[in-house]
């Protein structure tokens, strides 16, 4: 019954609005107009609305119905990070899980939160002083397997001496340096590829 009621709401939307690339009230206004003038539907509506909350970041909605309040609430959320928009623009949003938290906090939660067993590849390109502690954390959390590849950027410039010393001296890694240049410059830099031998 619900799907039958909701179909005309979707139809009126696709006929009267375009897909919105930015958060916009146009979809909500169109649904409210349809439900006021054509067919009542059990949306929270524009009078009760969603005016009583400000700047939520993490939201649980129980009962989505046609998505009306989902749209109202989601338009209150902080703007989508540029990285997420670029990943979506490349059509890869279904393959990427973007985590906006400190690596040291999330590596121990990878298995429970995302069901990760082990990583085949870890690309280290964040804060240089986190390369070594995060590598040890990955080892301690059992997130590396025989053959896992660590690929580290900026090992020469700005440079990660402690990390380089570790992966090059540890019997647990087979390490190789690929000399190159700092992106778009003539300054020397390179990538260190380290295979975990377990
Ligand atoms: O921080 C980074 N993470 C990952 N990759 C980086 C990278 O590939 C870089 F080329 C640089 C870089 C190096 C030289 C420079 F002049 C400007 C930026 C940085 C970097 C270093 C120090 C900062 F204060 C800010 C940015 C990074
Ligand atoms: Mg880099």
């Amino acid at each position: 019954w619900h799907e039958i009621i909701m179909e005309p709401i979707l139809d009126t939307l696709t006929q009267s609005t375009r897909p919105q690339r930015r958060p916009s009230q146009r979809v909500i206004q169109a649904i409210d107009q349809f439900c006021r003038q054509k067919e009542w539907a059990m949306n929270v509506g524009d009078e009760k609305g969603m005016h009583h909350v400000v700047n939520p970041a993490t939201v649980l909605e129980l009962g989505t119905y046609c998505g009306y309040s989902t749209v109202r609430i989601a338009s209150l959320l902080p703007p989508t990070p540029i990285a997420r928009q670029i990943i979506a623009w490349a059509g890869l949003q279904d393959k990427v899980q973007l985590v906006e938290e400190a690596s040291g906090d999330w590596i121990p939660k990878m298995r429970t939160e995302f069901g990760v067993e082990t990583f085949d590849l870890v690309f280290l390109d964040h804060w240089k002083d986190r390369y070594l502690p995060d590598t040890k954390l990955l080892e301690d959390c059992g997130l590396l397997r025989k053959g896992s590849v660590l690929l580290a950027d900026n090992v020469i410039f700005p440079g990660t001496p402690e990390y380089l010393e570790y992966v090059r001296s540890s019997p647990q890694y087979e390490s190789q340096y690929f000399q190159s240049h700092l992106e778009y410059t003539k300054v020397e830099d390179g990538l260190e590829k380290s295979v975990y031998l377990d």
Side-chain angles (χ1 to χ4, degrees):
W1 174 66
H2 282 331
E3 290 287 319
I4 294 167
I5 294 276
M6 289 194 272
E7 193 77 38
I9 295 177
L10 177 60
D11 290 345
T12 193
L13 268 187
T14 52
Q15 285 152 26
S16 63
T17 64
R18 285 197 304 268
Q20 305 296 302
R21 283 187 51 204
R22 292 271 179 282
S24 116
Q25 290 305 309
R26 196 155 306 162
V27 165
I28 294 301
Q29 288 158 357
I31 296 174
D32 283 331
Q33 183 177 1
F34 177 80
C35 295
R36 256 190 211 293
Q37 295 172 3
K38 301 277 180 31
E39 255 175 65
W40 182 90
M42 59 178 187
N43 306 127
V44 72
D46 48 5
E47 187 184 347
K48 284 182 283 181
M50 205 54 68
H51 325 297
H52 313 296
V53 296
V54 281
N55 302 333
T58 309
V59 178
L60 169 63
E61 176 186 57
L62 301 173
T64 298
Y65 191 51
C66 72
Y68 173 94
S69 42
T70 316
V71 170
R72 271 195 176 275
I73 294 167
S75 63
L76 299 174
L77 294 172
T80 306
I82 296 292
R84 196 185 297 280
Q85 294 178 61
I86 289 174
I87 291 162
W89 195 258
L92 295 167
Q93 65 283 357
D94 298 339
K95 293 183 174 180
V96 176
Q97 181 71 38
L98 197 56
V99 178
E100 298 171 66
E101 304 284 343
S103 51
D105 298 337
W106 267 85
I107 287 172
K109 296 194 274 188
M110 279 295 161
R111 185 161 286 120
T112 52
E113 298 289 325
F114 299 113
V116 171
E117 271 309 305
T118 54
F119 288 107
D120 302 325
L121 168 67
V122 179
F123 179 51
L124 296 99
D125 193 25
H126 52 337
W127 288 115
K128 310 309 153 202
D129 59 4
R130 288 300 313 173
Y131 280 36
L132 185 52
D134 285 347
T135 297
K136 289 183 172 173
L137 205 45
L138 286 163
E139 291 169 9
D140 297 345
C141 296
L143 289 166
L144 300 180
R145 53 133 175 103
K146 186 173 172 52
S148 290
V149 173
L150 302 188
L151 189 63
D153 188 26
N154 309 116
V155 293
I156 302 303
F157 191 90
T160 59
E162 302 81 11
Y163 171 79
L164 273 189
E165 162 62 29
Y166 179 74
V167 289
R168 289 177 176 175
S169 60
S170 162
Q172 286 186 297
Y173 292 94
E174 182 63 45
S175 230
Q176 190 179 0
Y177 173 61
F178 294 92
Q179 181 168 345
S180 181
H181 293 94
L182 184 71
E183 49 267 34
Y184 321 121
T185 74
K186 295 260 185 283
V187 173
E188 183 188 343
D189 188 20
L191 296 172
E192 185 82 1
K193 177 182 174 185
S194 308
V195 181
Y196 189 60
L197 304 174
D198 196 353

